[in-house]
Amino acid sequence: MRVIRLAGRLLPMLTLVLTLLSACDRADQGKAEITPDSGDRPYQASLVVFGTLVEITISGASPEQAAASVRRIETVFQKRHHDWHPWQPGLLADINQAFSNGHCHPADKETLELIRLAKRISAQSRGAFNPAIGKLIALWGFHDDEPQAGRPPPAPQAISALLATHPQMSDVHIKDGKVCSDNPAVALDLGGIAKGQAVDVAMQMLADHGIHNAIVNAGGDLRVRGRVGKGSHARAWRVGVRHPVSGGVLAEIDASGDEAIFTSGNYERFNEYEGVRYAHIIDPASGWPVHDINSATVILNNGAAADAWATALVVAGTQAARTLATRAGLTQVLLVNEAGEIWVSKAMMPRLHLDADASKIHVF
Ligand code: ADP
Ligand code: MG
């Protein structure tokens, strides 16, 4: 398995390596994998944003056109990496500082849009997705360039003290191009949604440059557009979803048109202390890292929403996740839990090539 989490959570510089896919073997790319069509030679570029290797695969465009688009995307990624960094100086740090001083802070249209979406999904998920808990995530030691491995969990009193401040997205308001918080304890951490937004922006920029057949894959979280291959050989992109425990391929999905496939889980970023794993996804109700669901995969036509919902479902746990998904109209959901159960939504089931024991599979 290629290591997609690079040293530290976030690299200070973006690197850009342009390569042409010479062979068409299955590309092994983290949570999900892509199999390009063997009759085609897609253009592939890799860059790093939010500490994740982002691979952009383009079919049916000239290498010059593809390279120019990727260069523009890199510039935007660089800006967003700085703006939305959860703990380094930048726009988000300024916003959080303003919140704690009881002030509003101006933000650009795209940042405000992302916060609006985060508010909506936070409300719909009944607070399971809650990017207002930045202070809690920091307390668990996940706001660190080089998180100390094997650190003990925080003192329970420190957790309860933060929970008592009730940071919620309903405290956050947007008016006149500014973002404000009624609650000084709110600190935004967009780690559960920003990658999705970055993937959306990249795909939109490709479309703006006339590229309509591509995959933007951020460490296994990806957005697909169009198809791969030419003419009558064109076919869907095949995406593999990784098994959260074994690391093998759990399921394959054929994706075409415009789809974002995002997976969140407790298996990739965690701290292990005295044999217990503490995931980087925190249940805002208890203040403790999630358990129960190992991974949640959501398919939507919007990367940011798919990203946020995948995080929300992991927090909610197997039972509540199914209820939330149904209520929110998420039709394409795949959950794997610690009991080894695989829960698949009805509409997802027929398009999934699952490599699993049938007795473990449940449809909802
Ligand atoms: P990944 O980055 O592995 O794809 P996620 O999309 O689930 O995983 O994002 C996890 C990140 O979301 C955490 O690192 C943290 O920044 C943030 N986060 C943690 N708990 C929550 C929560 N309950 N709601 C919203 N964001 C969260
Ligand atoms: Mg997420």
Side-chain angles (χ1 to χ4, degrees), residues 192 264 307-308 311:
S264 273
D307 192 1
T311 307

Side-chain angles (χ1 to χ4, degrees), residues 295-314:
S295 81
T297 302
V298 174
I299 306 184
L300 284 170
N301 61 1
N302 175 312
D307 192 1
W309 271 114
T311 307
L313 298 186
V314 170

Side-chain angles (χ1 to χ4, degrees), residues 224-304:
V224 165
R225 185 164 285 169
R227 296 165 77 76
V228 62
K230 287 192 187 89
S232 58
H233 295 294
R235 65 162 177 78
W237 302 88
R238 176 153 286 195
V239 176
V241 177
R242 178 174 142 190
H243 193 290
V245 180
S246 74
V249 175
L250 166 67
E252 289 188 324
I253 305 170
D254 286 335
S256 60
D258 184 4
E259 296 192 293
I261 306 178
F262 275 70
T263 302
S264 273
N266 63 7
Y267 55 93
E268 220 177 39
R269 265 191 94 220
F270 54 81
N271 170 47
E272 194 160 328
Y273 178 72
E274 293 187 339
V276 180
R277 282 184 176 194
Y278 297 97
H280 70 137
I281 302 173
I282 310 290
D283 179 351
S286 68
W288 282 74
V290 292
H291 56 92
D292 180 359
I293 290 188
N294 285 129
S295 81
T297 302
V298 174
I299 306 184
L300 284 170
N301 61 1
N302 175 312

Side-chain angles (χ1 to χ4, degrees), residues 35 88 189 260 292 327:
T35 315
Q88 284 174 7
D189 175 324
D292 180 359
R327 258 196 218 128

